[in-house]
């Protein structure tokens, strides 16, 4: 996507922040040059070396056991400490700190300029009549007991909803429960629970063309976050029953099953399959990762998208619309929109410490990391079936597994008054920043 403005057409705020970004970037360069006697070069080289060593240590930590893992742990801690000590002994820490602050400020200003020049278009909400017979399915254990803590049952019933409370001691087919509610006259389906439960009921709502209500009573509430809902107080989501509007969003499909967030293949999916994972996530992951990453367990994956073939991938993450960051499981990672009609596809292949360092330094430009979009992705393996984590739930699906997107398949009813999803940061392209400053069409 390109920025294109007629003469004088670039917003003043965008040009101002583009100017500030370039001033800060030049300031960082000047600080390094003024350090003199190679001081600036030392700051850059030592910082890069510390990053590389920390990334290599992280690889040894997760991909090996015994003494190699212990060495990796030491390196992860020692590398940044050593960088700070070297800066201090060479009296370069003021230079390093000043350059870092200026460069960070340059990045913030550059992204602000790009966002001002190309304001993100939010998902369009449309007015709709309140439901007459809403049915809400609630999981009392979800999110550590949010249903009870926020009095969701009582508040929903006071607003005219019928509540189906799940029994934590009994395995319940929530999709079948939702279909039965539709057969009994429900004109809205909603869920207070985790994203996996949300997806199962959302699939039923989409099948019948009914509005769907998300109540942010899960643990991480990724779906609710990207819909712009209040994640601190799930009871606020109930306002949609009386004063709401609708968003028309996409649904992802993996092996014929709907998902609202992600379908993960490879290392993560293998780990969550393990019975001990739920009780000791960190320990079970560290125990399994060496065999999975080095190829002694699990299966190598291939993915074919609309335009690209990814071979011998250790992990694949397919998302319902792309994330604004190639780290969708990171805290705060989000999708700017859920109505773009494409899947996000992230493939990872890191076989040694050098490749881990390359990813740490170059991010999405590294050879071991692929970040792209596609309407369809087919995941293949030489195994008859492979583990898949769908919205955090462990499944096993026959190969090949087809992932697709159903554009505009789901009507989501949301409150008119809601926090809203924060604007995603645009990709940082300095050529576009310079084009803004010069008030010229940016290069594609």
């Amino acid at each position: 996507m390109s920025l294109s403005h007629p003469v004088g057409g670039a917003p003043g705020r965008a040009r101002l922040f583009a100017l500030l970004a370039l001033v800060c970037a030049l300031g960082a360069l000047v600080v390094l040059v003024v350090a003199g006697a190679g001081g600036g070069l030392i700051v850059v080289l030592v910082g890069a070396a510390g990053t590389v060593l920390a990334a290599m240590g992280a690889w040894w930590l997760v991909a090996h056991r015994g003494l190699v893992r212990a060495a990796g742990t030491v390196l992860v801690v020692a590398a940044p400490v050593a960088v700070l000590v070297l800066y201090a002994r060479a009296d370069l820490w003021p230079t390093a700190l000043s350059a870092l602050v200026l460069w960070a400020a340059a990045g913030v200003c550059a992204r602000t300029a790009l966002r001002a020049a190309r304001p993100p278009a939010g998902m369009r909400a449309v007015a709709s009549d309140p439901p007459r017979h809403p049915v809400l399915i609630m999981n009392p254990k979800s999110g550590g007991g949010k249903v009870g803590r926020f009095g969701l049952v009582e508040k929903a019933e006071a607003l005219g909803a019928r509540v189906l409370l799940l029994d934590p001691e009994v395995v319940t087919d929530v999709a079948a429960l939702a279909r039965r509610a539709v057969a009994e006259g429900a004109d809205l389906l909603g869920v207070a629970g985790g994203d996996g439960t949300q997806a199962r009921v959302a699939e039923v709502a989409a099948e019948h063309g009914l509005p769907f209500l998300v109540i942010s009573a899960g643990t991480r509430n990724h779906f609710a976050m990207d819909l712009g809902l209040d994640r601190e107080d799930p009871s606020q989501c109930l306002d949609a029953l009386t004063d709401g509007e609708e968003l028309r969003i996409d649904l992802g499909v993996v092996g014929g099953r709907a998902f609202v967030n992600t379908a993960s293949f490879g290392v993560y999916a293998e780990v969550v399959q393990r019975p001990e994972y739920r009780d000791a996530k960190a320990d079970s992951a560290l125990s399994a990762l060496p065999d999975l990453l080095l190829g002694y367990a699990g299966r190598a994956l291939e993915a074919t998208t609309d335009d690209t073939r990814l071979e011998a991938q250790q992990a694949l993450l397919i998302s319902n619309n792309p994330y604004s960051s190639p780290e969708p499981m990171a805290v705060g990672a989000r999708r700017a929109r859920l109505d773009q009609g494409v899947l996000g596809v992230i493939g990872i292949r890191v076989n040694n410490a050098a490749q881990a360092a390359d990813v740490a330094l170059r991010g999405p430009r590294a050879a071991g990391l692929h970040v792209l979009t596609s309407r369809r992705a087919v995941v293949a393996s030489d195994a008859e079936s492979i583990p898949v984590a769908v919205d955090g739930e462990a499944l096993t699906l026959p190969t090949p597994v087809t992932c697709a997107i159903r554009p505009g398949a789901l009507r989501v009813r949301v409150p008119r008054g809601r926090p809203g999803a924060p604007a995603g940061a645009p990709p940082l392209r300095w050529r576009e920043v310079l084009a803004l400053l010069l008030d010229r069409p940016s290069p594609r």
Side-chain angles (χ1 to χ4, degrees):
M1 186 179 295
S2 66
L3 298 171
S4 179
H5 301 285
V7 175
R13 183 168 181 267
R15 295 188 67 189
L16 173 61
F17 276 98
L19 176 61
L20 290 174
L22 291 172
V23 167
C24 290
L26 288 174
L29 181 61
V30 168
V31 166
L32 294 174
V33 171
V34 170
L41 182 60
I42 292 173
V43 167
V44 173
L45 292 178
V46 168
T51 301
V52 168
L53 290 173
M56 294 174 65
W59 172 259
W60 292 339
L61 171 62
V62 299
H64 295 272
R65 298 186 177 91
L67 291 177
V68 177
R69 172 172 286 179
T73 305
V74 171
L75 197 54
V76 167
V77 176
V81 172
V83 169
L84 295 176
V85 170
L86 287 171
Y87 284 164
R89 290 181 66 88
D91 200 25
L92 289 173
W93 69 265
T95 299
L97 181 61
S98 300
L100 182 62
V101 169
L102 284 168
W103 185 250
V108 171
C109 291
R111 292 185 187 278
T112 302
L114 293 172
R115 190 182 293 116
R118 190 174 63 221
M123 293 179 284
R124 189 171 68 92
V126 297
S128 65
D129 295 330
R132 294 186 176 184
H133 305 290
V135 174
L136 308 180
I137 298 172
M138 298 192 181
N139 182 353
K141 286 189 65 177
S142 187
K146 288 182 180 179
V147 168
R149 194 158 66 249
F150 287 91
L152 297 182
V153 174
E154 296 78 11
K155 291 178 181 178
E157 290 178 339
L159 292 171
R162 176 188 171 200
V163 176
L164 304 178
L165 198 62
L166 300 179
D167 184 346
E169 304 302 322
V170 178
V171 178
T172 303
D173 184 343
V174 292
L177 195 63
R179 288 191 177 91
R180 187 158 58 248
V182 173
E184 294 171 354
D187 61 356
L188 175 144
L189 295 174
V191 173
D195 288 337
T197 306
Q198 299 276 3
R200 299 299 285 161
V201 179
E203 184 173 19
V204 176
E207 287 175 4
H208 294 274
L210 297 179
F212 179 65
L213 176 63
V214 176
I215 304 170
S216 55
T219 301
R220 302 182 72 178
N221 296 301
H222 283 295
F223 190 38
M225 175 178 68
D226 294 337
L227 290 170
L229 299 176
D230 190 329
R231 294 191 296 160
E232 300 301 320
D233 183 359
S235 67
Q236 298 299 313
C237 301
L238 295 172
D239 291 345
L241 291 173
T242 54
D243 184 24
E245 54 191 7
E246 285 189 13
L247 303 173
R248 179 73 76 161
I249 70 165
D250 308 332
L251 269 182
V253 179
V254 54
R257 171 185 174 133
F259 65 93
V260 295
N261 292 331
T262 59
S264 301
F265 302 80
V267 172
Y268 175 70
E270 295 270 5
V271 169
V272 299
Q273 292 279 337
R274 299 182 175 230
E276 65 271 21
Y277 176 74
R278 294 297 175 187
D279 297 324
K281 294 184 178 181
D283 289 344
S284 61
L286 281 175
S287 174
L289 281 173
D291 290 337
L292 294 171
L293 292 173
L294 297 179
Y296 305 132
R299 300 280 184 171
L301 303 169
E302 293 183 353
T304 303
T305 68
D306 292 345
D307 305 310
T308 308
R309 183 179 179 85
L310 306 178
E311 298 182 347
Q313 300 295 291
Q314 293 164 317
L316 287 163
L317 189 136
I318 314 294
S319 59
N320 173 21
N321 283 261
Y323 280 81
S324 56
S325 159
E327 300 174 348
M329 304 313 290
V331 175
R334 58 174 299 275
R335 294 161 290 180
R337 299 186 63 159
L338 294 170
D339 60 352
Q340 299 181 77
V342 292
L343 299 167
V345 180
I346 298 176
I348 302 172
R349 181 183 179 183
V350 177
N351 295 318
N352 53 52
Q355 292 177 359
D358 184 40
V359 170
L361 284 175
R362 300 175 61 212
R365 296 188 301 275
L369 183 62
H370 297 274
V371 182
L372 55 135
T373 60
S374 179
R375 294 183 184 86
R376 187 171 180 267
V378 179
V379 180
S381 169
D382 58 4
E384 292 184 357
S385 61
I386 53 175
V388 188
V390 181
D391 286 334
E393 295 187 356
L395 302 175
T396 301
L397 298 177
T399 57
V401 181
T402 299
C403 303
I405 193 84
R406 294 174 57 194
L410 184 63
R411 299 165 55 195
V412 180
R413 188 169 176 87
V414 294
R416 292 182 191 276
R418 57 188 185 279
L428 181 51
R429 299 187 179 99
W430 284 100
R431 289 184 300 171
E432 291 187 359
V433 176
L434 183 60
L436 273 177
L437 182 62
L438 299 176
D439 204 13
R440 297 175 181 172
S442 70
R444 291 185 181 273

